[in-house]
Amino acid sequence: MANSKNYDMLNGSLIDKIVLFAIPLAISSISQQLFNAADLAVVGRFASPEAMAAVGSNSSVISLIISFFIGLSIGANALIAMQIGGGKKNEINETVHTVIAVSLLAGCAIILIGFFLSGPILVMMGAPSNVLGLAKLYLRIYFFAMPAIMVYNYGSAVLRSKGDSKRPLYAMLISGVINVILNLIFVVVFHLHVIGVALATVLSNLFGAGYILYILFNEEETFRLDLRKLSIKKQYLIRMMQIGLPAGLQGVVFSLSNVVIQSTVNSFGSDAIAGSTAAANFDFISYCAMSAFAQSAVTFTSQNYGAKKFDRCKRVFRICMACGIGASALVVFLFVTFRYQAISIFTTEPAIIEFAMKRIMNAFLFHFLIGSYEISGGCLRGMNHSLTPTLISIFGTCVFRLIYVFTYIPTHHTFEELFRVYPLSWVITGIATISVYLIVRRKEFARLS
């Protein structure tokens, strides 16, 4: 089933294949974040601080929704990878059609829900009155991109399950360039501000989704998509949900805690919102560099677990952990070193820059610690244990943060103290997840040997 676009994950060396598989994933995710950052940079430079804050105030809400459905796509990736490892070719095509059907239905559902709840959500989060109207307008338009975003992510999960991480990258790069060009046209030329960046997001994501569908329409027979065969097969949906739903819930819980933190950020005013959002782009880039190896851990572990090659599963864990944390640490070093130059891309307002620096030095500086639980959690999901890392993350990254925000911050209400909750939660979650992974791995491999 391998071809020139795929890697043989079951035989031969691992480190070169993992790195070559992860690099397009990292570039794709970082490019996606850079193109999203273009929305912020364009409105920050060519519109107003209020427009910049309006776009930024939506980031946590959008992340919460997308995180859930991307989590489900991890289930699709792992399921198909295990089918490949187990040689179950007859099941793969039906799973592919189930995955794409789910993505389309999910995207359309989000449009309806998001359009009517945009206002109440932003009010609940305490968005300042001077940005509320623009924020609601941006969010409502953005939701129309959701079907395309879902199709891109789920279709990419299908391709990555068989070792193809390059073509999803090409789709992302091209759609990202389109996004930047449309941003400049809509905002600089036509002065559409938040409407313009939202429309650019919708149109560029439509292209990305279309490109992925074109690839699937022309794939080898086992993976080929035929719209006439679109249906949701219960048995594959259940198995996909068993792996993906806990991962999706983890993303939701993680994002929910960020929504609460964002609500506290909002209490510091629009300059704090804009500064925090600008600095958060560095978080995302560091996360993308690490997450590429966490996703690689899921795919490589799934195939080798399905083939009962347990020694290779152990090596996948070691390689992905070292490379993932190392890649994230490198990004942190570069952005901390050149933090003032990097922030100037988004804004030249001194008040906004001051808030951005506080977030960078109190949270982003330790961002590489996330790899400890993301990569070990990815290996657990590859072994069909998806609920375990979710429960750990719920307590480590959500419950702990909520306790911190609601008990400590009221008496220590400073921007710096707020963002110190992040590294504390990363350490707690990382230690717990690695420990549980080692225990589960020993029991699973002994049971199946």
Side-chain angles (χ1 to χ4, degrees):
M1 194 171 294
N3 58 41
S4 60
K5 302 183 182 70
N6 308 329
Y7 298 107
D8 181 359
M9 302 181 187
L10 303 176
N11 302 286
S13 61
L14 277 171
I15 187 168
D16 56 334
K17 294 173 184 175
I18 288 174
V19 171
L20 291 173
F21 180 79
I23 287 175
L25 285 175
I27 296 174
S28 178
S29 298
I30 291 172
S31 298
Q32 186 173 25
Q33 182 53 41
L34 289 175
F35 296 135
N36 290 340
D39 291 359
L40 197 66
V42 169
V43 294
R45 283 287 191 168
F46 300 104
S48 66
E50 289 75 21
M52 184 179 179
V55 173
S57 63
N58 284 299
S59 59
S60 296
V61 178
I62 293 169
S63 176
L64 188 153
I65 295 169
I66 293 179
S67 293
F68 175 73
F69 289 100
I70 288 181
L72 291 181
S73 75
I74 291 175
N77 182 312
L79 174 57
I80 297 174
M82 280 188 276
Q83 290 170 343
I84 295 170
K88 300 176 181 178
K89 297 182 180 181
N90 294 332
E91 298 181 6
I92 294 173
N93 193 254
E94 290 185 334
T95 305
V96 169
H97 285 87
T98 296
V99 167
I100 298 302
V102 168
S103 71
L104 288 169
L105 289 174
C108 293
I110 296 173
I111 290 178
L112 294 175
I113 296 171
F115 185 83
F116 292 105
L117 294 182
S118 298
I121 289 172
L122 290 166
V123 170
M124 182 179 65
M125 289 179 60
S129 57
N130 63 323
V131 303
L132 181 59
L134 289 174
K136 182 166 66 175
L137 181 61
Y138 175 84
L139 190 56
R140 283 183 169 176
I141 298 172
Y142 188 101
F143 276 126
F144 282 95
M146 284 300 177
I149 292 172
M150 295 298 105
V151 168
Y152 170 80
N153 282 290
Y154 281 63
S156 296
V158 170
L159 295 173
R160 289 164 183 158
S161 68
K162 66 191 187 82
D164 183 1
S165 59
K166 293 181 180 179
R167 288 184 293 177
L169 168 62
Y170 302 152
M172 173 55 60
L173 290 176
I174 297 172
S175 63
V177 171
I178 292 173
N179 182 45
V180 172
I181 293 172
L182 291 178
N183 273 337
L184 294 171
I185 292 173
F186 289 153
V187 176
V188 179
V189 178
F190 294 106
H191 307 291
L192 292 177
H193 306 313
V194 296
I195 296 176
V197 293
L199 284 175
T201 297
V202 174
L203 295 174
S204 60
N205 276 288
L206 284 172
F207 177 87
Y211 188 89
I212 290 295
L213 289 176
Y214 173 79
I215 292 172
L216 292 175
F217 289 148
N218 293 278
E219 269 299 271
E220 59 192 276
E221 185 175 354
T222 306
F223 290 87
R224 186 176 302 147
L225 179 66
D226 184 342
L227 293 180
R228 295 169 297 181
K229 296 181 181 179
L230 277 182
S231 63
I232 298 178
K233 300 290 186 181
K234 183 179 178 180
Q235 65 270 35
Y236 304 123
L237 176 62
I238 291 173
R239 292 170 64 190
M240 185 177 78
M241 295 285 282
Q242 287 174 338
I243 302 171
L245 185 58
L249 290 176
Q250 178 179 328
V252 168
V253 169
F254 182 80
S255 297
L256 182 61
S257 67
N258 287 339
V259 168
V260 173
I261 292 173
Q262 181 65 48
S263 299
T264 308
V265 171
N266 292 348
S267 69
F268 291 96
S270 59
D271 286 340
I273 297 172
S276 175
T277 305
N281 284 287
F282 307 152
D283 291 6
F284 289 130
I285 293 171
S286 170
Y287 180 81
C288 291
M290 178 281 304
S291 180
F293 290 95
Q295 293 179 61
S296 300
V298 174
T299 305
F300 277 77
T301 300
S302 294
Q303 281 206 22
N304 284 283
Y305 180 77
K308 296 186 178 182
K309 296 191 174 184
F310 303 135
D311 286 340
R312 291 177 69 83
C313 290
K314 294 178 182 179
R315 290 168 57 200
V316 168
F317 169 76
R318 294 194 296 269
I319 293 168
C320 288
M321 185 66 74
C323 293
I325 291 179
S328 179
L330 177 60
V331 173
V332 169
F333 172 77
L334 291 174
F335 277 113
V336 169
T337 302
F338 300 103
R339 57 190 180 277
Y340 286 99
Q341 295 90 329
I343 285 294
S344 67
I345 296 172
F346 301 98
T347 182
T348 56
E349 294 288 332
I352 296 176
I353 291 174
E354 181 181 355
F355 280 109
M357 292 301 112
K358 291 178 180 178
R359 173 164 182 160
I360 289 171
M361 299 310 295
N362 288 282
F364 177 69
L365 184 62
F366 309 97
H367 201 266
F368 60 91
L369 293 171
I370 289 179
S372 61
Y373 65 86
E374 287 286 347
I375 292 167
S376 52
C379 290
L380 280 167
R381 293 190 177 94
M383 296 188 297
N384 209 17
H385 283 264
S386 191
L387 183 59
T388 304
T390 296
L391 293 176
I392 295 172
S393 292
I394 286 175
F395 287 99
T397 63
C398 183
V399 174
F400 174 78
R401 290 178 188 176
L402 294 178
I403 293 173
Y404 183 95
V405 168
F406 289 119
T407 62
Y408 182 75
I409 293 301
T411 57
H412 300 78
H413 192 254
T414 68
F415 201 75
E416 296 92 328
E417 292 293 340
L418 174 63
F419 279 97
R420 283 174 187 151
V421 70
Y422 283 108
L424 290 173
S425 65
W426 297 333
V427 170
I428 293 170
T429 309
I431 292 173
T433 308
I434 291 175
S435 299
V436 170
Y437 163 75
L438 293 174
I439 294 170
V440 170
R441 185 180 76 179
R442 184 175 66 252
K443 291 182 178 180
E444 277 292 297
F445 293 174
R447 180 177 67 86
L448 297 172
S449 295

